[in-house]
Amino acid sequence: MRIGVNVPNFGPGTSPDVLRGWARTVEGLGFDLLMVSDHVAVTPDVAQQYPAPFYEPFTTLSWLAGSTERIRLGTTVLIMPYRHPLLVARMAANLNDLSGGRLVLGVGVGWARQEFEALGVPFHRRGALTDDYLDALRAAWADGADYRGGPVPIWIGGNSDAGLRRAVRLGETWHPLRNTLPWLREAFGRLKSLADEQGRPVPAQAPRIVLRLTTSPITDPDRLAGEGTIEQIVDDLEQLRLLGSDTVVLDPFGGDPQETCHPEVAWHALAAVAASWDLHANHL
């Protein structure tokens, strides 16, 4: 099982130097994947959770590709309805080509109603648009020469039943976000059932979980996967490995934008995971 990291590409502490520091730290510790998130118009509903500056994912990942050598690069998640699918197909394919085949394209339908309005995209059609655009992506990549570097692995984000069904129909991998271990165990079962019903292969599983390191164990039954002592976090990773997860993405951002001014706190937690989980052995 591979381990990735969700890197904040937003907030008051984020800058080119900090992003470079994140990339070098994450790659240096031996993690397999670096991912960033996506917003285009930082409308009030977005800014409340992810304030400016917000670095655009394709631009950011292209720049970080030149600052790294091995680590894969990805989006968690690109909001698919925001951009024309042929533009996404070209940018993703070219970035994959320029980075030596290191791109993972995680996609989702989006949630920020004001941002949809600012971009002139109908919020109520975001699911149908995502489905149509994913079909267009694959058709463009199948066309060949005009999209050098494609196809790119597609991860389908979303915790809803619609997200599960979309992953079965249109993605190689399902990418649920921040939940409990019991919920993930039950959802992985539902994913298999849906795939069996449709006569399709079961998508790979690549959950994104929190990373919140504590000095004493968390005993709350609603504890999120990735919260607690290093022993609890490592056990969560092992349980997800046993459940068949292909990749787990650690998300150290706790929700306070001021955290971005002190990335060394997250780097310390990541170093603790790296020291307790043999990242090199799990690449083999």
Side-chain angles (χ1 to χ4, degrees), residues 4-277:
V5 178
N6 182 33
V7 168
N9 53 319
F10 54 83
T14 301
S15 68
D17 285 343
V18 170
L19 286 167
R20 187 188 298 110
W22 269 102
R24 291 177 175 171
T25 299
V26 170
E27 184 172 62
L29 287 171
F31 289 96
D32 175 73
L33 173 65
L34 179 159
M35 306 191 90
V36 297
S37 54
D38 177 37
H39 284 286
V40 174
V42 184
T43 48
D45 50 353
V46 174
Q48 186 174 2
Q49 298 184 48
Y50 310 110
F54 202 113
Y55 285 81
E56 194 278 328
F58 282 113
T59 309
T60 302
L61 293 176
S62 296
W63 182 67
L64 292 178
S67 300
T68 56
E69 296 179 358
R70 172 195 58 80
I71 198 164
R72 291 189 298 165
L73 307 161
T75 53
T76 177
V77 290
L78 191 82
I79 303 171
M80 199 65 209
Y82 284 176
R83 301 167 180 85
H84 194 287
L86 296 184
L87 175 62
V88 174
R90 185 174 296 280
M91 289 193 297
N94 287 173
L95 174 51
N96 194 48
D97 191 31
L98 292 166
S99 67
R102 289 191 279 153
L103 183 63
V104 173
L105 188 67
V107 304
V109 301
W111 57 269
R113 188 181 293 270
Q114 293 174 0
E115 188 175 21
F116 274 86
E117 292 172 354
L119 295 170
V121 179
F123 183 79
H124 68 282
R125 294 200 63 235
R126 66 195 189 282
L129 287 171
T130 296
D131 292 350
D132 290 346
Y133 286 8
L134 286 169
D135 286 337
L137 273 186
R138 295 194 185 281
W141 289 334
D143 193 40
D146 283 345
Y147 296 91
R148 181 179 174 88
V152 176
I154 294 177
W155 291 8
I156 305 294
N159 295 353
S160 67
D161 285 346
L164 283 163
R165 291 191 296 269
R166 183 172 293 110
V168 169
R169 292 195 321 272
L170 298 169
E172 292 90 2
T173 299
W174 181 46
H175 183 48
L177 309 180
R178 300 172 67 103
N179 223 302
T180 67
L181 198 59
W183 184 92
L184 287 165
R185 185 177 289 111
E186 189 273 336
F188 290 168
R190 279 189 288 132
L191 183 71
K192 184 180 186 305
S193 295
L194 285 168
D196 290 346
E197 288 171 10
Q198 297 185 32
R200 294 176 178 269
V202 181
Q205 301 148 20
R208 188 177 101 198
I209 66 173
V210 303
L211 176 59
R212 187 169 76 86
L213 184 62
T214 62
T215 55
S216 57
I218 296 178
T219 58
D220 188 330
D222 294 325
R223 179 184 71 88
L224 294 174
E227 280 187 313
T229 62
I230 190 61
E231 291 80 13
Q232 286 181 300
I233 293 167
V234 168
D235 184 65
D236 288 342
L237 292 174
E238 177 62 14
Q239 293 303 313
L240 290 168
R241 186 188 69 81
L242 293 172
L243 286 169
S245 295
D246 175 77
T247 303
V248 173
V249 178
L250 301 173
D251 186 353
F253 179 64
D256 181 357
Q258 291 304 313
E259 294 174 36
T260 62
C261 299
H262 305 285
E264 62 277 1
V265 176
W267 297 348
H268 171 76
L270 290 167
V273 173
S276 301
W277 181 274

